[in-house]
Amino acid sequence: MAGSEDNSGAVFNASSVNIDKAPLREIMCYLQKSNNKYDNRLGLHISSIFVILVVSTAVTFFPVLAARSRRLRIPLSVYLVARYFGAGVIIATAFIHLLDPAYNAIGPKSCVGLTGGWAGYSWPPAIAMSSAMLIFLLDFLADYYVERRHGIVHGPVENLITNSSDADGSGVNKSQLSNNEKLDDDLANFRNLSGDSEAVGRAFRSQIAAFLILEFGIIFHSVIIGLNLGVSGGASFDTLYPVLVFHQSFEGLGIGARLSVIPMPTRWKWLPWALCAAYGLTTPISIAIGLGLHTSYNGKTFTGSIVKGVFDAISAGILLYTGFVEMLARDLLFNPNRTQNKMRLTIMLVSLYLGAGTMALIGKWA
């Protein structure tokens, strides 16, 4: 059997290798290398483009539509399930779908991680930590700038949602309302997330940058998995297709849930819909590109592994910071207007853990 070139460029003859003497790097690079396994089921691949487009886009739009539409009477309990299920999905995506693949691509036991300067340090956690710390710095500077220029604003979204003195001037604090009040009535407060008031403008400026960074991290991940689905075939494609329908839908739910509570000035009212559409289109377009490149694209080359591993680790840091700080800490730990309704808190927490658990389970296949 002729020698084959591993991911680092070295020639490795698998038919005559001496396991006791062969460098571990050469063995790992050979095992990691894989050729495209695209089959000719073009119709099925094309169907994946449209199925993922329709399903993931619809789910992404749902929380935004539920929070802002005055025509729909969606119970607040349904909205809360979607919102906190999405938060759990974001956190599980960071750990299971980004950080773990980063280890596989550039970690200590990978081909890249056993080569050159990559072998001297465990880079995935370092990159993820650096990413999270950078996002924190950007978030802090944005918040500091808004406070200095426009006045102190803490928990602006929660104030708009739960305190009607900000929303309609009535001065009634919603946290003082009876626990027996209908959830449908409370949902009206979630819909007061746009307008031209100074409070809306301050809240928008303090949160939109962090959200855009979150969407960047998820979209890059969506590009990679879209390309992989486009070039896959056989049993791999049969598994990835249905799993990615759920995967992209749940991630979209997380994006929509986070976006649904960002107040939008009137001139930016189109932005939530554009951002949801951008996410929904990313994976289908990437699948189409993968189909076009199925004879040449291989994400497991040495260079491809570096690119994927580094960006997965960066995205993991972004999503970890966003999930724990932007979604959970601000809503559940440091929100002065957090509900005291035990049923509602139970719904929020159960949805959170259900989202994280479901997305972690999906990691068994994709």
Side-chain angles (χ1 to χ4, degrees), residues 39-321:
D39 51 33
N40 290 317
R41 294 181 293 174
L42 182 61
L44 198 57
H45 280 77
I46 292 177
S47 74
S48 70
I49 296 175
F50 293 99
V51 170
I52 291 177
L53 171 64
V54 172
V55 176
S56 64
T57 302
V59 173
T60 306
F61 272 106
F62 172 74
V64 177
L65 187 64
R68 286 176 165 81
S69 174
R70 298 183 182 277
R71 296 181 180 179
L72 297 178
R73 292 188 58 82
I74 299 174
L76 179 59
S77 56
V78 175
Y79 173 81
L80 291 177
V81 168
R83 179 176 172 183
Y84 288 96
F85 187 94
V89 165
I90 293 297
I91 292 171
T93 297
F95 282 112
I96 307 299
H97 297 264
L98 290 171
L99 194 56
D100 184 61
Y103 272 98
N104 291 334
I106 61 173
K109 295 183 179 180
S110 69
C111 170
V112 174
L114 293 168
T115 304
W118 293 96
Y121 193 70
S122 183
W123 287 102
I127 295 172
M129 181 196 72
S130 300
S131 173
M133 294 300 290
L134 178 60
I135 300 307
F136 160 73
L137 179 61
L138 294 176
D139 194 19
F140 170 75
L141 292 176
D143 193 54
Y144 179 79
Y145 171 78
V146 171
E147 289 183 1
R148 292 277 294 180
R149 181 166 181 175
H150 302 284
I152 296 177
V153 180
H154 293 293
V157 170
E158 291 76 12
N159 291 338
L160 283 169
I161 292 173
T162 61
N163 193 329
S164 63
S165 63
D166 290 332
D168 57 20
S170 66
V172 178
N173 191 319
K174 296 300 180 184
S175 64
Q176 297 172 354
L177 295 176
S178 168
N179 287 339
N180 295 323
E181 182 177 4
K182 289 183 179 180
L183 294 180
D184 287 349
D185 294 335
D186 285 345
L187 184 59
N189 294 307
F190 282 88
R191 292 172 178 151
N192 191 15
L193 292 171
S194 61
D196 295 316
S197 68
E198 182 60 25
V200 169
R202 290 196 304 262
F204 172 76
R205 288 187 290 267
S206 68
Q207 297 180 64
I208 192 62
F211 175 81
L212 292 175
I213 294 171
L214 164 68
E215 179 149 347
F216 164 78
I218 293 180
I219 280 181
F220 182 83
H221 175 52
S222 298
V223 169
I224 297 297
I225 62 177
L227 289 172
N228 289 339
L229 183 62
V231 301
S232 66
S236 176
F237 177 82
D238 293 339
T239 301
L240 280 177
Y241 185 175
V243 168
L244 288 187
V245 172
F246 289 100
H247 181 283
Q248 290 308 102
S249 297
F250 291 153
E251 277 192 355
L253 190 61
I255 283 184
R258 178 73 187 95
L259 187 57
S260 68
V261 294
I262 299 179
M264 293 289 165
T266 301
R267 67 191 182 97
W268 292 103
K269 64 181 181 180
W270 55 269
L271 188 59
W273 316 108
L275 292 173
C276 288
Y279 169 78
L281 288 168
T282 298
T283 300
I285 291 175
S286 299
I287 295 172
I289 294 173
L291 282 173
L293 300 176
H294 69 270
T295 59
S296 58
Y297 174 77
N298 184 357
K300 292 190 176 181
T301 62
F302 188 78
T303 301
S305 296
I306 292 176
V307 173
K308 182 179 184 300
V310 169
F311 276 94
D312 276 352
I314 291 173
S315 298
I318 293 172
L319 268 61
L320 284 173
Y321 175 83

Side-chain angles (χ1 to χ4, degrees), residues 1-33 111 114:
M1 177 179 177
S4 61
E5 187 175 348
D6 63 29
N7 287 340
S8 65
V11 175
F12 178 77
N13 192 335
S15 63
S16 61
V17 64
N18 186 326
I19 297 296
D20 295 326
K21 296 182 179 180
L24 179 61
R25 178 186 62 79
E26 293 186 6
I27 296 175
M28 293 304 299
C29 288
Y30 178 82
L31 294 176
Q32 182 173 311
K33 182 179 179 180
C111 170
L114 293 168

